[in-house]
């Protein structure tokens, strides 16, 4: 078990590299990974079940203990990312199949990766978890509404069908995870140590399945989609930080809001795109999954250094203060 825990920690800490590696391999040798595309919903269910096992009443108590901070994070996420996606699609004049994919990933709730990045950034982890949890619970209603608002001009959107699929692939697995944790607490606690490994394998498989299944479309439009994804993600991080700063949040909260705004549950985007739109519509979510783990890790490192400098400056002020007095 200890060996498995060590592997889990290693894969969790190097997750971005594994996603990138298998995205490249599945693009070069698609025949070996195309079969994974049939199991996108099941793989996402595994990830969401794991999220349910990690949730606790404390995560929701934060919502009532400081509702303003959580509301700022959730509102920023569901306003900034869909609006950015829409504006980027117009600016780049993306074709409808790609456009709906970019808007789709922008309308998804926050993902679990952002919680990890907030921890690495020395940010407010409890706030990040609360934002992710609330945005996920709101997703069955908010995500279809946003897709309908921003994409219905170009593609047919069935919000009721989207609602039920999000309930199926997000809410139900989370509820099962919460039930298992409630009635089998010992087993759930022990399994938490290997959850990073299981979730990482599931997300890597989702990305590999999409990339292999759409490798021809990626070869033709990959650079355009990559440009849209990078612009979307970086602007999301930046605007999330600016909004939090304007609302007078301290640096740990700013880091949490920034990362929660800029990082998406892109695996959900893949599942929705494959079920309701064309295969190419899933590609922006797949590329986002690769990219945001890389950019999130870089940003977390920047925020961590900012926190360290602030702490050193505060310590220096405490030492200098009595001498000046």
């Amino acid at each position: 078990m200890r060996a498995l825990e060590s592997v889990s920690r290693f894969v969790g800490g190097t997750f971005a590299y594994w996603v990138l590696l298998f995205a490249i391999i599945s693009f070069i040798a698609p025949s070996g990974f195309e079969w994974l595309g049939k199991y996108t919903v099941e793989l996402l269910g595994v990830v969401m079940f794991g999220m349910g096992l990690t949730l606790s009443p404390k995560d929701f108590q934060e919502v009532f203990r400081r509702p303003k901070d959580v509301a700022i994070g959730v509102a920023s996420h569901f306003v900034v990312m869909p609006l950015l996606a829409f504006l980027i699609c117009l600016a780049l004049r993306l074709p409808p199949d790609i456009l709906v994919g970019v808007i789709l990933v922008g309308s998804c709730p926050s993902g679990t990766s952002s919680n990890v990045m907030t921890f690495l950034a020395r940010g407010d982890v409890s706030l990040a978890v609360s934002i992710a949890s609330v945005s996920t619970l709101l997703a069955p209603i908010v995500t279809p509404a946003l897709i309908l608002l921003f994409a219905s001009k170009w593609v047919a959107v069935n919000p009721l069908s989207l609602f039920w699929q999000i309930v199926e692939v997000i809410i139900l697995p989370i509820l099962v995870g919460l039930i298992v944790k409630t009635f089998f607490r010992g087993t759930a606690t022990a399994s938490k140590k290997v959850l990073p490994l299981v979730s990482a394998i599931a997300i890597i498989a989702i990305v590999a399945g999409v990339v292999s299944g759409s490798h021809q479309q990626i070869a033709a439009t990959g650079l355009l989609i990559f440009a849209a994804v990078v612009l979307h993600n970086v602007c999301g991080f930046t605007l999330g930080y600016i909004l939090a700063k304007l609302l007078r949040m301290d640096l740990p909260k700013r880091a949490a809001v920034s990362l929660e705004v800029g990082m998406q549950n892109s695996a959900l985007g893949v599942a929705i795109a494959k079920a309701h739109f064309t295969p190419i519509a899933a590609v922006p979510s797949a590329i986002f999954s690769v990219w945001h783990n890389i950019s999130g890790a870089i940003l977390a490192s920047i925020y961590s250094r900012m926190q360290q400098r602030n702490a050193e400056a505060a310590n220096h002020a405490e030492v200098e203060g009595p001498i000046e007095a």
Side-chain angles (χ1 to χ4, degrees):
M1 188 66 180
R2 287 184 178 179
L4 198 58
E5 290 175 27
S6 298
V7 173
S8 182
R9 285 195 297 270
F10 173 74
V11 173
T14 56
F15 176 59
Y17 304 106
W18 291 108
V19 176
L20 179 60
L21 174 63
F22 277 90
I24 293 171
I25 293 173
S26 60
F27 179 77
I28 296 172
S31 59
F33 299 89
E34 284 179 339
W35 62 276
L36 290 169
K38 297 184 293 185
Y39 302 101
T40 299
V41 170
E42 291 81 359
L43 290 166
L44 178 58
V46 170
V47 177
M48 293 298 102
F49 172 76
M51 181 178 179
L53 287 178
T54 62
L55 290 175
S56 67
K58 180 182 176 183
D59 299 326
F60 298 99
Q61 288 170 5
E62 287 293 311
V63 178
F64 300 102
R65 192 171 70 85
R66 43 178 178 169
K68 180 182 176 182
D69 292 343
V70 177
I72 288 170
V74 174
S76 298
H77 180 89
F78 278 131
V79 171
V80 168
M81 293 305 279
L83 187 57
L84 274 176
F86 178 72
L87 294 175
I88 288 168
C89 289
L90 293 181
L92 297 180
R93 298 183 180 180
L94 299 180
D97 288 345
I98 298 175
L99 175 145
V100 69
V102 174
I103 289 175
L104 172 55
V105 73
S107 303
C108 286
S110 179
T112 54
S113 296
S114 54
N115 300 160
V116 177
M117 298 306 174
T118 301
F119 172 77
L120 296 175
R122 301 185 187 181
D124 192 327
V125 177
S126 60
L127 175 60
V129 172
S130 297
I131 293 171
S133 301
V134 172
S135 69
T136 299
L137 293 177
L138 291 175
I141 296 173
V142 178
T143 297
L146 290 170
I147 297 171
L148 181 66
L149 174 64
F150 289 111
S152 58
K153 179 180 176 181
W154 292 273
V155 295
V157 178
N158 185 335
L160 186 60
S161 180
L162 289 172
F163 169 84
W164 285 117
Q165 186 181 22
I166 296 172
V167 169
E168 177 188 352
V169 301
I170 295 286
I171 304 301
L172 290 182
I174 289 176
L175 288 176
V176 172
L178 286 169
I179 291 169
V180 169
K181 182 177 181 179
T182 301
F183 292 100
F184 304 96
R185 186 170 296 275
T187 303
T189 301
S191 67
K192 284 172 63 175
K193 297 178 181 178
V194 296
L195 277 178
L197 177 61
V198 175
S199 296
I201 291 173
I203 293 174
I204 289 168
I206 291 171
V207 172
V210 173
V211 171
S212 61
S214 306
H215 65 282
Q216 292 180 340
Q217 296 97 322
I218 294 174
T221 59
L223 287 176
L224 184 62
I225 298 174
F226 185 76
V229 165
V230 171
L231 190 60
H232 191 192
N233 173 242
V234 172
C235 289
F237 283 148
T238 304
L239 289 176
Y241 182 89
I242 291 172
L243 285 172
K245 187 172 183 179
L246 288 174
L247 292 168
R248 301 182 183 278
M249 287 182 160
D250 59 25
L251 184 54
K253 290 180 182 179
R254 277 182 248 158
V257 171
S258 172
L259 289 162
E260 290 299 324
V261 168
M263 300 186 73
Q264 306 293 90
N265 188 338
S266 47
L268 174 62
V270 170
I272 293 175
K274 294 189 69 174
H276 297 271
F277 304 108
T278 60
I280 192 64
V283 174
S285 292
I287 294 177
F288 203 102
S289 184
V290 178
W291 169 254
H292 80 164
N293 282 291
I294 296 170
S295 63
I298 294 170
L299 185 61
S301 176
I302 293 171
Y303 284 146
S304 179
R305 288 198 294 269
M306 290 171 65
Q307 301 268 27
Q308 185 175 354
R309 285 199 298 269
N310 284 359
E312 289 172 354
N315 290 336
H316 182 72
E318 288 179 4
V319 171
E320 293 293 327
I323 296 175
E324 293 175 357

